[in-house]
Amino acid sequence: MAATGWLVYCTYTHDVNVSLQQLRQTVFDRREFRLPGDLVDGTAARKSKSAPPTSDLQKLHQISWELDQALKGLGFDATDSEKQTRDVGRMLEQVDKKGFVFAAREALESSSPPPATIDELLAQCAEAGTHSILDIQHISPTPQWGAATPLSDDQLQTLFGTTRPTRAMIQSAEQSGKLHELCTRWHAVYLTVFEEGEPVEYAFAGVSGD
């Protein structure tokens, strides 16, 4: 799965880090991010075309079960192996009944309960990321992994022809791709949005996720 470019706005305050953390919580509460299971539909559908026939998988499952029993008969602890074999068996039953994509999604959801906090979400997504502002955890004056960096006056002037861009200008820069050209993966930039010359919002643009 490729990285995702995103652009989000939040209310202007005198402390941009406070605004960032409030924005992250809002995005989490609204569920405006991706979980590993959300990526199943596309990837699983592609993989299902190249997956071996279910009958072949059933044969492999039977062999695995017989191996578990053989190891158990020799005195080995096969508890974990037996559990994994049973889990595979249940998944194959779902594949036969409802298809590969449904089975893959169900397996992911059962092994990963919905996160209750942002930290739990980040741990669950790991290197796949959330493809959202949640992958950006702090403000930094210089580019850092997982941080948002302010655009300089020179960058603002080059991008917008002014150091006080409006939301319409920012949206135009996003649509043209010029805004995200300033973002490397797992990094964000931010800027103040103006209306009639007054600061009203912050805009965060970034690229994250795998």
Side-chain angles (χ1 to χ4, degrees):
M1 175 60 63
T4 300
W6 39 262
L7 171 65
V8 285
Y9 300 89
C10 65
T11 301
Y12 176 85
T13 70
H14 292 293
D15 189 330
V16 65
N17 189 61
V18 170
S19 293
L20 170 62
Q21 301 309 328
Q22 291 175 344
L23 173 61
R24 294 175 79 239
Q25 188 62 51
T26 298
V27 168
F28 179 78
D29 292 341
R30 292 179 179 174
R31 218 256 189 227
E32 295 172 348
F33 55 83
R34 291 185 186 176
L35 282 168
D38 298 333
L39 306 179
V40 165
D41 291 344
T43 56
R46 289 193 297 271
K47 287 186 178 297
S48 66
K49 297 177 182 179
S50 59
T54 306
S55 58
D56 291 346
L57 295 175
Q58 292 286 6
K59 291 176 183 177
L60 291 174
H61 176 256
Q62 181 62 32
I63 292 172
S64 177
W65 179 256
E66 291 173 356
L67 181 59
D68 290 342
Q69 302 313 302
L71 291 172
K72 191 174 180 180
L74 292 172
F76 291 95
D77 184 359
T79 302
D80 290 342
S81 180
E82 285 181 315
K83 180 182 181 302
Q84 291 174 0
T85 300
R86 286 194 296 271
D87 290 343
V88 170
R90 283 193 288 269
M91 181 175 177
L92 289 176
E93 289 178 2
Q94 293 302 317
V95 170
D96 283 337
K97 292 178 181 177
K98 300 180 180 179
F100 188 89
V101 172
F102 177 89
R105 176 181 286 279
E106 186 176 69
L108 275 172
E109 290 177 348
S110 63
S111 63
S112 303
T117 66
I118 293 175
D119 286 342
E120 286 184 13
L121 170 67
L122 295 176
Q124 190 175 115
C125 291
E127 65 275 6
T130 69
H131 296 254
S132 76
I133 186 67
L134 297 176
D135 295 319
I136 304 303
Q137 301 180 43
H138 64 282
I139 300 296
S140 171
T142 57
Q144 292 181 10
W145 186 93
T149 306
L151 290 182
S152 68
D153 285 350
D154 286 344
Q155 288 174 313
L156 291 171
Q157 194 70 44
T158 299
L159 196 58
F160 305 109
T162 177
T163 58
R164 296 191 170 192
T166 64
R167 182 183 272 227
M169 292 177 183
I170 295 169
Q171 290 173 332
S172 177
E174 179 201 20
Q175 292 168 3
S176 69
K178 293 180 179 179
L179 182 58
H180 284 105
E181 287 177 359
L182 301 173
C183 307
T184 56
R185 187 178 292 198
W186 303 105
H187 169 245
V189 297
Y190 74 89
L191 60 154
T192 303
V193 185
F194 290 82
E195 184 177 306
E196 297 182 353
E198 296 296 323
V200 292
E201 294 178 299
Y202 288 116
F204 289 85
V207 178
S208 65
D210 283 317

